[in-house]
Structure formats: C-alpha cells, structure tokens
Amino acid sequence: MSVDATSAVEPAGLDPEQTAAVVAPRGPVCVLAGAGTGKTRTITRRIAHLIDRGHVAPGQVLAVTFTARAAGEMRGRLRGLGIGATGPQVQARTFHAAALRQLRYFWPQVVGDTPWQLLDRKFAVVSAAAGRVGLSTERDSVRDLASEIEWAKASLVAPEDYARTAAKLHRDVPADAEKVARVYAGYEQLKVRGDEGMLLDFDDLLLHTAAALEEHTAVAEEFRDRYRCFVVDEYQDVTPLQQRVLDAWLGDRDDLTVVGDANQTIYSFTGATPRYLLDFSRTYPDATVVRLERDYRSTPQVVSLANRVIGAARGRIAGTRLQLVGQRPDGPEPTFAEYDDEPAEADAVARAITRLLASGVPASEIAILYRINAQSEVHEEALTRHGIAYQVRGGEGFFTRAEVRQGIAALRQAAGRDDLPDTVGPDLVTLVRAVLAPLGLSDEEPAGTQARERWASLTALVQLAEEQVAQNETIGLDGLLRELSLRAEARHPPVVEGVTLASLHAAKGLEWDAVFLVGLTDGTLPIAHVLGDSSSAPDTAGIEEERRLLYVGVTRARVHLELSWALARNEGGRRSRRRSRFLHGLVPDESPASRIAAPAKPSKKRPRCRLCGKPLIGTTATMLGRCESCPADLDVELLDALREWRLLTSRELKVPAYVVFSDNTLTAIAEQCPVDEAALVAIPGIGPKKLSTYGEDVLSLCRGRAR
Ligand code: ATP
Ligand code: MG
C-alpha cells in the first residue's frame, strides 16, 4: 500500500479496507479480520467516526469484549482518540460486566424485593450438589463439573437436555452424563435459598438480563432508548447465551459492528462458536462485510508460515480463512528443530534466548508457548540453569502447583514410613507411581480438563524420578526428595520483566518479538484425546481446533519464530514420539539426513567435576561445578563478603536475597573466585542479565581476594 496515495482520502493511519469498515454507514458491519490486522484499531476508529459525524452520542454506544483486559484496552484507545471526555462515555465492557450493571438497575422493576447475590465462586455449591449425587467432591472433579455446568449454560442447554446433547456432540464428559445432569439440576436448586434470596452465577446474570428485556416491554424500551449502537470484538468467541443477550439488546434494530477471525476459534470447549460470525451476512443481508488481510504485526516470513499452517485446515471455518499479507520489513525465516529429548530441546531454547538477550531483545519481548501447563517444567528448569528470569502466565510455576505440592508431600510421608523397604533404581519409580496414584495418577489419561492437567503434572513428577534414576542407579526416595527440593529452590521467583512461559490458550491476542513454539509432537499438539484410539474415532473438529491453536501460536511472533519438538521425554529415553502432523510440508527439508536441522544442537556431554573430572550428578553438584563428595576449596572470607554484599543489594533492590543469587551460586563463586567475565558466566545460575546487573560488583570482590 502506498500511504501517500491513500492518505488524502482516508483517515490517517488506516488502510483502505480498515477505512471502509470505519466509514461504513450506520447499520450492520462485519469485519472479518485475520491475526494482527488491526481489529481494535478499526473498531475504536469506527466508534470515533460515528460519534464525530453525529450519528450517535458517546453514551449511546455499548462495546463488548471477552476479557476485562481487552475492555480496558479499548477504553484506553477511545480516550486516546478524545472520545467521551465529557458527559456520558462509551461503555466498553465485558458481556458479564455489562449484564451485571443492567441487572442491578432493572432488578427491582423485574423481580421486585427478592434479594440476590452474585455467586462469583461456584465451587462450594457444585461440590454440595456433587456430594448429593454420590460423585467425588475432590477439588479437580468439582472444578471439572463446574466447567461442564458453565459450558451447558453458555450453550443454552438445560439440565434435562444435558445428557442427550452431550451424547450427540460426543462431549468429553467428566463423569457419567446422567449424573452430571443431576449435579447441574441440584446446583440450580441449591442457588435458590428461600427468604435469603437467590444466588446468581455469571451465566445467570446473562440469562436474567436477556429475560428482563425479552419479557418486560418497559425495560426493553428504556434500555433501547439508552443504547443505540453496539460493537463486539473477538466475535468468533461468542457463546449462544451471549448471542441471546446481544439479540435482546438489539431488539429489531441492526446497528451492530462485529469483528472476528473464525480461524482463531480456540475456546469451543467453553461453548464459544464462530457460527454467528460466519452467518452474519445471512442474518443481516444488508451488512457491509469488510475483510482485513494486511498483517501489521509480523514479518512476511512469519506471515507466510501462518498462511501455510492454516492453509491445510479443513471444514467450514477453514473455508473462511484469509490470506494474510505481511506489511513489515523482512525478518529471519522461522526455524524448525528436532531433538532427541525434551531436556535437549529446552536447553537449546534457553541458549537461543541467551543469544537473543545478548543481541538486545528485552526478556519481556520473548515467549515460550506450549499446549499444556505441565510442559513448563522442563523449560523452567533450563531457564533457571541458564540464569534467565521468567514468569509463567495464566498459571503457576511447576513446583507451586497444588498437585505437585501434594505429590511431593505424599512422597515425603512415604519416606518417613519404616514399613517400606529401601527402594532404589527402577523400583523407586514404581514406588513413586504407587504413592501418586491416589492423587490422580491413573494408568490411562483421565477425562476432564482439570483432571487431565493434574494427571500430566503428576506424570511429569514421575518422569523427574525416572530422570534421576537414569543418572544415579542407587538413588532412593530420600535422595529423590532432596533433588526435588533443590530444583524447587533453585527456581527463579516470579518476576515481571522476564521471559514469558504461557500456554497457547493464554497467549491469545498477545504478541512478542520472539516466540518459541515447543513440544510440537503428535499427542501434544494435536493433543492425544482428539486423536482417537482403538475404541474411539478421531475427533476431526477437535483436531481442527488444535490446528488453530498452532496458527494462534505462530501469529503471536513479530520477528523471531522457532518451532521445535523432541522424540523422547527423558534423556536417553525411547524415541517414540513423532513430529506434529501439522508441520508436515512446512519443514523446509524433510529428508531424513538433514532432519535434525537444529541450529545449535547442544552437546550431550554432562558437565564434569572440576576437581576429579567425573560427570556431575544432581542439581547441587552441577551448580557447584564439583562432586558434592570432592573437597571444597572454599574461600570462607570471600563467601562472607559475598553474603554481605547480597544482603545489601537485595535490600537496596527490595527483593529477597535469593533473587540476587542462590546460596549454591554464591558458594560456587567463593570456590572458583572468577576474575573475569568469561569465568563468571561459566558458573551455572549466572546469565547475561545477572552478569550485566551484578557482574562488576562480584568481580571486584573476587579480584580483591585474588590479589
Ligand atoms: P489478533 O487477531 O491477534 O487479536 P488484531 O487484529 O487485534 O490481532 P491488533 O493487535 O489490533 O491486531 O494490531 C496489530 C498491530 O498492528 C498493532 O500494533 C497495531 O497498532 C498495528 N496496526 C494496525 N493497523 C495499522 C495500520 N493501518 N498501520 C500501522 N499499524 C497498524
Ligand atoms: Mg486483538
């Protein structure tokens, strides 16, 4: 696009398609926009345009989105455009927040004196309902039941229709469908509490709002007089329940602008459906339909890969895909790398991140994205080892997750029992499995999202045990627990300015300069339960949603994009995994010889003791750079000086001391007394960030001792 050629006729900073959406006359407008094409920009500019031309007053506009963050972003942009500085403002809210406000206002008119309270945590009520039906009231089972009730309500499925609908849709139900239906019915009953009034959950807010407008003419008239113009962002995520509210808001009017990308539908399991977006021009035959295809976020290289990923999609949603056209200057080609095992993959990613940081990419502009949260463990470990700070978005770090803490507590309890024989080697792994089994480590992957996450985390814990046994055949339960707590302690505490670790779901709508898509194997992306097995057919719709997850992942990257996978979980493990089927035809050279195109294949050599030269086993030994049994050549005075300095520094920066350096790192420095930068970064736990922040201080302390 030539900016000069168009700027005379178009509002500044908009391309011709965006302009068409912005200046379309009042009435239905549908913007089918691919990733990074500037949807929010277009939608906010359209609101500004309608107000500017006097078509509506700011207070008559209701703009809805799906997250509070997105609503805040929209309000910010509108303020930036100088909208609604005085008088009633444009309402930019989530569906739920808008309904809550309206219901508070209309409740006395519609229901009268019966009081109500918002039930923002439904756990206790669902748990009581599950207990009545004889289902487990364990945390994860109840959470899965609660999610299932949310899905049913969002999909406008009543308790009496639940079992039939779930069967028809082949839903992955958390328990017997008839029982789930009874829990759902029981939950609805428990919320009505006689004179104490009623409890309304978030979905009830929407249901009651829609009913108030549908059944009470006076309420509908008052509301429709107040709000004249509606805008919905991320419209592919709308649920049937939200659509019903939107229809109730509109009545027989059609002043509606929607923006969405059906190929980014990744929340179907919550009831979201792109159906309304795809049917928009059928519902509103006069609609102005605009397609945005210019991608302002990513380099042409990233955009080309994104187009190829989604180009292989099948089905109705795929038929609506747009060919994105990259608008940014050229950048590096995305890379693909296959590794023998996950630790090698994680190590290579951490090395690549170290190089990016050294080349000036800020840590907050780098992300590692994966399919399920249990995948974070191996990357947390590698980043810690390389001294790179990180934050886990939309979830907790591995060792702080409830099931992992419970698992370690159970292992500790088992270690305290005298009736268990000393168990080492492969028997130890069997023991660990047996101890974790009651916490949800079944042989088969269970149904239900929460139960599956729990299962995956516990499986990761067993894999850690396997890894330890592979390194040290004589390790027992006590030794394993020591290793686990060392690993947990060595982890960086949460930081704001770190590399982001996030699931693909949590990455939606966000963008980074550099993105690493990891663990791309069949069974992880696409996830195992959509693939089917001897007893069930593959879930083709589920597989397509998994493909869209990869598309969402690819389109988060502005410039650097690295895709990788590992053939085995553990070092030396059986290489039984296969690269994700979605990568077929995308990897530049697929001949077996050059298959491992790893840009920096890490040496598989285990670090050796600097004193005796034997390979190092365990986290402490690796951090210290010597066997724990080898004599320490520690400079006690240097260690004291380093501790003193760490205390002062941590006070000054207002962070806990271990954020500056862990005890193991300080000990390693006091033993090795590095006098130049190269020697300092060679110590595990010291990466480029720590080197630039503390390097000078530490080196001057060491040089003082070395003289
Ligand atoms: P997603 O589908 O991933 O949510 P999106 O369509 O919402 O993406 P935005 O995040 O709104 O895309 O825009 C992507 C980037 O492109 C933003 O940084 C935005 O400011 C920029 N952008 C949008 N339109 C233009 C334009 N006409 N000229 C220059 N930059 C633009
Ligand atoms: Mg967006």
Side-chain angles (χ1 to χ4, degrees):
M1 175 192 69
S2 154
V3 174
D4 289 337
T6 53
S7 58
V9 286
E10 285 156 12
L14 295 171
D15 66 32
E17 292 79 15
Q18 291 172 331
T19 305
V22 167
V23 304
R26 272 187 74 167
V29 176
C30 175
V31 180
L32 290 167
T37 53
K39 290 195 284 270
T40 313
R41 180 183 284 225
T42 301
I43 224 165
T44 47
R45 293 291 290 269
R46 172 157 175 80
I47 294 171
H49 174 82
L50 291 173
I51 292 169
D52 193 46
R53 292 294 155 94
H55 294 308
V56 285
Q60 295 173 326
V61 180
L62 180 55
V64 276
T65 64
F66 292 84
T67 64
R69 189 180 63 87
E73 164 89 22
M74 200 184 278
R75 281 195 294 272
R77 293 211 197 176
L78 287 166
R79 266 198 309 277
L81 293 171
I83 301 297
T86 55
Q89 314 229 332
V90 172
Q91 299 289 314
R93 298 182 183 277
T94 64
F95 269 102
H96 288 113
L100 177 61
R101 216 172 115 94
Q102 291 160 24
L103 202 58
R104 284 220 170 101
Y105 180 77
F106 288 119
W107 187 266
Q109 210 175 321
V110 175
V111 184
D113 293 336
T114 315
W116 66 277
Q117 245 186 323
L118 180 65
L119 176 66
D120 53 357
R121 285 164 173 261
K122 57 166 72 72
F123 185 90
V125 186
V126 175
S127 177
R132 283 180 169 189
V133 174
L135 283 179
S136 160
T137 52
E138 290 221 1
R139 186 166 156 265
D140 293 292
S141 316
V142 173
R143 279 167 62 179
D144 278 332
L145 285 167
S147 306
E148 197 58 14
I149 293 173
E150 280 167 16
W151 169 80
K153 295 180 81 162
S155 307
L156 298 173
V157 174
E160 53 276 22
D161 299 327
Y162 173 80
R164 197 174 37 81
T165 312
K168 199 174 91 193
L169 298 177
H170 306 291
R171 270 197 73 79
D172 176 25
V173 290
D176 173 63
E178 293 291 347
K179 286 200 171 155
V180 176
R182 280 166 57 205
V183 176
Y184 177 11
Y187 166 78
E188 292 299 324
Q189 282 159 10
L190 284 170
K191 284 189 294 150
V192 183
R193 302 181 308 166
D195 291 345
E196 285 175 64
M198 49 212 286
L199 295 171
L200 300 188
D201 64 24
F202 286 115
D203 298 316
D204 294 329
L205 296 179
L206 298 176
L207 278 169
H208 282 276
T209 301
L213 293 163
E214 287 161 1
E215 291 160 23
H216 299 265
T217 321
V219 168
E221 276 174 9
E222 186 179 343
F223 176 86
R224 290 174 195 153
D225 189 47
R226 167 94 162 74
Y227 292 105
R228 302 275 172 93
C229 172
F230 300 85
V231 177
V232 189
D233 196 3
E234 305 266 3
Y235 191 52
Q236 79 279 354
D237 280 336
V238 80
T239 66
L241 173 57
Q242 287 162 336
Q243 181 63 41
R244 182 165 154 198
V245 172
L246 187 58
D247 288 338
W249 283 340
L250 282 161
D252 55 8
R253 303 168 301 165
D254 65 358
D255 211 341
L256 171 65
T257 301
V258 298
V259 171
D261 179 4
N263 285 291
Q264 288 188 70
T265 304
I266 56 172
Y267 279 101
S268 298
F269 62 94
T270 66
T273 166
R275 172 165 96 229
Y276 305 101
L277 175 69
L278 299 180
D279 287 344
F280 194 83
S281 51
R282 208 170 305 159
T283 312
Y284 299 101
D286 309 338
T288 305
V289 178
V290 174
R291 290 169 210 276
L292 302 182
E293 300 182 329
R294 294 171 215 257
D295 183 316
Y296 294 96
R297 174 181 293 146
S298 310
T299 62
Q301 286 70 19
V302 171
V303 169
S304 155
L305 180 62
N307 282 332
R308 281 177 287 145
V309 166
I310 207 64
R314 296 287 166 265
R316 181 173 183 213
I317 294 177
T320 66
R321 72 195 141 217
L322 304 168
Q323 184 80 11
L324 292 173
V325 185
Q327 303 295 304
R328 293 185 50 134
D330 283 331
E333 282 295 339
T335 64
F336 298 84
E338 176 173 286
Y339 297 94
D340 285 343
D341 50 62
E342 284 186 16
E345 180 185 9
D347 194 72
V349 168
R351 281 164 199 265
I353 290 177
T354 304
R355 285 194 295 275
L356 286 170
L357 292 169
S359 74
V361 179
S364 55
E365 281 301 341
I366 301 174
I368 300 177
L369 307 180
Y370 38 77
R371 175 64 179 87
I372 57 165
N373 288 322
Q375 288 174 269
S376 76
E377 202 287 319
V378 68
H379 292 280
E380 290 182 54
E381 165 69 14
L383 292 174
T384 303
R385 207 164 2 89
H386 285 264
I388 300 168
Y390 65 84
Q391 50 161 337
V392 182
R393 197 189 160 84
E396 293 159 309
F398 184 75
F399 284 106
T400 44
R401 283 181 203 142
E403 61 271 26
V404 175
R405 279 184 292 146
Q406 288 162 4
I408 292 177
L411 291 172
R412 205 166 281 136
Q413 216 174 10
R417 280 168 48 182
D418 348 315
D419 56 328
L420 289 174
D422 277 349
T423 319
V424 295
D427 292 344
L428 177 64
V429 177
T430 312
L431 173 69
V432 169
R433 279 186 187 283
V435 171
L436 300 182
L439 297 176
L441 184 75
S442 45
D443 289 342
E444 296 260 317
E445 191 175 24
T449 318
Q450 296 291 342
R452 218 179 274 126
E453 282 268 331
R454 161 173 283 262
W455 182 87
S457 293
L458 294 173
T459 303
L461 213 46
V462 174
Q463 280 158 345
L464 282 177
E466 284 171 352
E467 215 172 90
Q468 292 302 321
V469 169
Q471 289 178 18
N472 175 4
E473 283 173 9
T474 59
I475 193 169
L477 193 47
D478 285 330
L480 174 65
L481 282 164
R482 253 198 317 278
E483 274 304 324
L484 291 177
S485 65
L486 281 169
R487 272 196 184 219
E489 273 166 34
R491 291 291 151 90
H492 283 280
V495 287
V496 186
E497 273 291 290
V499 169
T500 298
L501 295 184
S503 71
L504 290 163
H505 282 104
K508 185 142 184 283
L510 305 178
E511 55 184 40
W512 293 271
D513 282 343
V515 170
F516 293 82
L517 300 178
V518 299
L520 300 177
T521 58
D522 251 26
T524 301
L525 188 75
I527 198 144
H529 67 265
V530 299
L531 294 179
D533 52 28
S534 51
S535 63
S536 63
D539 167 6
T540 38
I543 292 175
E544 287 305 316
E545 180 131 334
E546 297 286 308
R547 190 195 306 279
R548 292 192 293 271
L549 268 172
L550 177 61
Y551 176 66
V552 167
V554 168
T555 54
R556 298 309 96 197
R558 293 197 195 99
V559 183
H560 303 275
L561 177 61
E562 301 202 6
L563 301 92
S564 58
W565 59 94
L567 299 177
R569 151 76 216 193
N570 293 336
E571 211 173 314
R574 206 160 61 84
R575 301 163 85 217
S576 55
R577 299 176 171 182
R578 280 194 316 150
R579 182 180 77 195
S580 168
R581 63 190 62 194
F582 301 146
L583 299 183
H584 184 70
L586 302 180
V587 183
D589 184 349
E590 297 199 313
S591 69
S594 59
R595 198 189 42 164
I596 303 184
K601 186 145 171 44
S603 84
K604 302 282 293 180
K605 262 196 264 150
R606 187 161 281 295
R608 288 179 177 271
C609 172
R610 71 188 133 84
L611 301 173
C612 73
K614 285 199 192 126
L616 291 171
I617 293 168
T619 313
T620 311
T622 312
M623 299 284 276
L624 292 176
R626 63 167 168 82
C627 305
E628 283 177 81
S629 54
C630 277
D633 41 3
L634 180 79
D635 181 335
V636 181
E637 282 177 38
L638 175 56
L639 183 61
D640 282 345
L642 285 164
R643 287 218 172 103
E644 173 81 23
W645 163 82
R646 180 176 67 170
L647 184 67
L648 293 174
T649 309
S650 67
R651 281 193 189 142
E652 201 174 299
L653 299 176
K654 297 198 173 56
V655 294
Y658 62 86
V659 173
V660 178
F661 280 125
S662 72
D663 281 349
N664 277 337
T665 307
L666 279 199
T667 308
I669 298 172
E671 288 184 2
Q672 298 175 37
C673 197
V675 290
D676 56 37
E677 286 197 355
L680 187 57
V681 277
I683 293 175
I686 304 181
K689 182 94 189 283
K690 297 222 167 182
L691 182 68
S692 71
T693 319
Y694 309 120
E696 225 167 277
D697 285 3
V698 172
L699 286 174
S700 77
L701 283 172
C702 293
R703 286 184 193 126
R705 295 295 302 166
R707 265 200 295 274

